[in-house]
Amino acid sequence: MKENFLWGGAISAHQVEGAWQEGGKGISIADVMTAGTKDRPRKITNTILPEEYYPNHEGIDFYHRYPEDIKLFAEMGFKALRISIAWTRIFPLGDEQLPNEEGLCFYDQVFDEMQKYGIEPVVTLSHFEMPYHLVETYGAWRNRKMIGFFERFAQTVMERYKEKVRYWLTFNEINNQRIIDNPIYSFTNSGVIFDEEKLAGMYQAAHYQFVASARVVTAAKKINPEFQIGCCLAATPNYPLTSDPRDQLLAQQEDNNQLYFTDVHVRGHYPKRILNEWQKKGYTIDVTEADLDDLAKGTVDYIGITYYLSNTVSTRSDANYLHDPLLGSSVLTTNPYATMTEWGWTIDHMGLRYMLNLLQDRYELPIFIVENGFGFNDQMTETGIHDPERIDYLAEHIKQMMLAIEEDGIDVIGYTAWGCIDLISFTTGEMRKRYGFIYVDRDNEGNGSLDRIKKDSFDWYKEVIASNGAMLK
């Protein structure tokens, strides 16, 4: 492992900060999402309803406790911390001309605290935190005006923090809006719930995001040529259930549906198969010649990936289909060679190596693993919080990453474990689906002291970082 490898953790503003009405912050799309469970989807409400519980309103109170939390991250030896900047702290409504200085000052303080411990910020610009005003007033990413609003936000924070932040990501898990049958994904990515012509609507929203991302990349290089700007893919390999050629072709098609997002970010143009699909289905997507020029000029420097699970797909009538409401696909089947978490996510550490190779061969760009984690219902005991399942999960994934680097020659920038401190689950809005090395005393109903308590995995990950991964060999 190279000496400058960026070990660390990852969080997002809407899942940790809380303080949803402090510091001049506006209402974000996360603020109108209620709590749910694996079996009861989160609701998206048109306004804040007093009878509903909105877990992101308080999060884990990182807004007030960030010095304590960053000190704990430093104790683990973090070289990097992936965070996001809440758009609504900088432009509360999203369409203002001037930013909210109090919000800018907050992130100045956070970055200064990280710098004190030598922790490199890795900043996501759009991590499911769009101003809700833009949804109500403009229809969110259905509207071309969103490009300009996002550019103003991105350029404002990049100019402000040009001496404090080097690594940036534009849109978090942009490809998840392809899961069009689950409105949580389209709403958090685009602020849109597609009713009719779902795929056409998704393609249009994604196109405006591609253009916005490309323009931000171009502008960023003028602000600071040393900036490294990445895209972010929810990286999920698709395996065929059998050697039936129909299963093989389906798996390839599912991969292509996912990777068209990185195709545009990295190559700067649309794949022919996508243009062919638009023509065959009669989709009229608003794409201008100026847009295509922007895409070609604003390609990314690296690929950020989040990795949690793999999919297995089939066309066969005798397959054991999942019908998972969260993943929202009719072709997903159980993998007979993999186990699952309580939340139905496949545990497949080798899939990470598979995905790293797939992306490197396709794009030949550096890759940054910006999320990887294990959601588990950790329990407090008299002797502490023992999480051997998490240690095993992360250890096996890190081993596969190291094999990809050392045996396959993959260029990996860093590894930031997701939810390095317990936080609100994006998919379900739960606290009991815990990812952290640090336990936060909070339950699904919002009760608890919010005290921070180290789990067994805290000291384990500290050793992994101190040894630069050598302890796992």
Side-chain angles (χ1 to χ4, degrees):
M1 298 287 288
K2 53 191 177 185
E3 290 302 316
N4 61 347
F5 188 80
L6 293 175
W7 296 99
I11 55 177
S12 76
H14 74 99
Q15 288 165 283
V16 299
E17 283 183 4
W20 74 293
Q21 290 184 304
E22 294 185 47
K25 180 184 175 298
I27 297 175
S28 78
I29 54 176
D31 291 327
V32 296
M33 294 174 63
T34 68
T37 67
K38 179 183 183 297
D39 302 311
R40 189 185 76 250
R42 304 184 75 175
K43 289 186 289 187
I44 301 164
T45 61
N46 293 326
T47 186
I48 307 299
L49 301 175
E51 68 272 18
E52 295 287 354
Y53 173 52
Y54 299 90
N56 299 77
H57 286 187
E58 295 183 344
I60 61 166
D61 197 31
F62 180 81
Y63 185 81
H64 298 107
R65 298 169 183 249
Y66 69 87
E68 172 190 357
D69 293 340
I70 291 172
K71 184 177 180 180
L72 286 167
F73 301 153
E75 186 180 338
M76 271 188 283
F78 279 18
K79 310 298 182 187
L81 177 65
R82 182 195 176 207
I83 70 169
S84 63
I85 293 175
W87 190 343
T88 50
R89 289 205 186 280
I90 311 306
F91 291 95
L93 299 178
D95 59 359
E96 300 97 334
Q97 291 295 318
L98 298 175
N100 170 37
E101 179 62 24
E102 194 169 352
L104 290 168
C105 287
F106 169 70
Y107 291 106
D108 269 321
Q109 293 165 2
V110 171
F111 295 141
D112 288 347
E113 195 71 18
M114 293 168 63
Q115 189 176 46
K116 184 168 77 174
Y117 297 104
I119 298 174
E120 183 95 45
V122 181
V123 176
T124 308
L125 291 166
S126 182
H127 196 137
F128 311 157
E129 293 144 353
M130 181 196 318
Y132 187 60
H133 172 76
L134 299 181
V135 177
E136 292 183 300
T137 307
Y138 301 95
W141 285 99
R142 288 189 181 95
N143 194 323
R144 178 175 281 274
K145 289 182 179 180
M146 288 291 296
I147 297 172
F149 297 146
F150 183 73
E151 281 186 276
R152 183 182 300 145
F153 161 61
Q155 291 185 44
T156 297
V157 296
M158 286 178 157
E159 184 67 44
R160 177 73 169 229
Y161 309 123
K162 63 185 176 184
E163 303 299 332
K164 299 181 179 184
V165 179
R166 183 185 180 210
Y167 290 97
W168 301 86
L169 296 153
T170 52
F171 291 91
N172 181 65
E173 296 183 333
I174 188 173
N175 58 304
N176 269 348
Q177 61 195 303
R178 178 87 196 196
I179 307 174
I180 56 175
D181 292 327
N182 186 337
I184 290 293
Y185 292 105
S186 62
F187 185 72
T188 50
N189 273 270
S190 305
V192 175
I193 298 175
F194 301 115
D195 297 320
E196 298 177 2
E197 291 293 345
K198 292 182 179 181
L199 266 178
M202 183 279 298
Y203 280 127
Q204 185 64 79
H207 173 72
Y208 290 149
Q209 291 168 3
F210 289 142
V211 175
S213 175
R215 290 187 184 177
V216 166
V217 170
T218 300
K221 296 299 183 177
K222 295 176 182 177
I223 294 171
N224 184 347
E226 299 301 313
F227 279 165
Q228 292 292 295
I229 319 294
C231 59
C232 182
L233 177 79
T236 308
N238 292 279
Y239 304 142
L241 179 65
T242 71
S243 57
D244 183 331
R246 290 170 296 185
D247 282 1
Q248 300 285 325
L249 184 60
L250 177 62
Q252 183 184 62
Q253 290 169 338
E254 290 295 309
D255 274 345
N256 282 336
N257 286 340
Q258 171 184 195
L259 296 177
Y260 113 81
F261 292 86
T262 34
D263 287 343
V264 179
H265 276 304
V266 175
R267 294 171 172 165
H269 60 82
Y270 280 97
K272 288 184 178 179
R273 67 180 180 278
I274 297 296
L275 301 177
N276 184 59
E277 179 185 348
W278 293 354
Q279 183 178 22
K280 288 183 66 176
K281 293 184 177 179
Y283 295 160
T284 302
I285 310 299
D286 174 28
V287 179
T288 69
E289 288 299 320
D291 292 345
L292 297 178
D293 186 54
D294 285 331
L295 296 180
K297 292 177 179 176
T299 55
V300 296
D301 300 307
Y302 69 94
I303 300 169
I305 69 168
T306 70
Y307 180 83
Y308 295 94
L309 71 161
S310 60
N311 288 335
T312 301
V313 299
S314 183
T315 63
R316 298 174 61 86
S317 60
D318 59 348
N320 182 23
Y321 290 100
L322 291 176
H323 306 295
D324 190 311
L326 281 178
L327 299 177
S329 174
S330 61
V331 300
L332 298 183
T333 71
T334 56
N335 185 336
Y337 302 101
T339 58
M340 286 189 169
T341 71
E342 178 184 345
W343 280 267
W345 289 22
T346 305
I347 298 176
D348 175 18
H349 50 275
M350 293 184 70
L352 177 57
R353 183 178 181 183
Y354 175 95
M355 200 72 203
L356 289 170
N357 274 275
L358 177 63
L359 292 171
Q360 184 82 86
D361 289 346
R362 191 170 180 128
Y363 302 118
E364 298 183 324
L365 275 187
I367 302 169
F368 200 145
I369 303 170
V370 296
E371 289 183 28
N372 175 231
F374 181 69
F376 190 74
N377 186 17
D378 300 309
Q379 298 295 319
M380 178 79 72
T381 72
E382 292 181 359
T383 57
I385 303 165
H386 310 300
D387 55 344
E389 299 90 351
R390 177 169 296 104
I391 291 172
D392 181 66
Y393 175 98
L394 294 176
E396 293 305 316
H397 281 78
I398 292 171
K399 287 176 186 177
Q400 291 298 317
M401 175 192 71
M402 293 170 68
L403 286 171
I405 294 170
E406 296 168 5
E407 299 293 329
D408 308 331
I410 310 299
D411 183 4
V412 181
I413 298 170
Y415 174 93
T416 52
W418 173 248
C420 46
I421 183 170
D422 290 346
L423 41 64
I424 305 298
S425 169
F426 144 62
T427 51
T428 64
E430 294 178 278
M431 273 299 295
R432 70 183 290 270
K433 187 182 182 185
R434 299 175 181 275
Y435 286 89
F437 305 115
I438 302 162
Y439 183 92
V440 177
D441 181 25
R442 194 74 160 181
D443 65 17
N444 275 8
E445 289 71 45
N447 303 309
S449 67
L450 290 172
D451 286 348
R452 276 60 166 154
I453 304 160
K454 300 173 188 176
K455 304 176 189 178
D456 288 352
S457 57
F458 183 101
D459 288 324
W460 170 82
Y461 194 49
K462 180 178 180 179
E463 291 181 33
V464 171
I465 296 174
S467 70
N468 202 20
M471 67 170 284
L472 299 176
K473 293 184 177 180

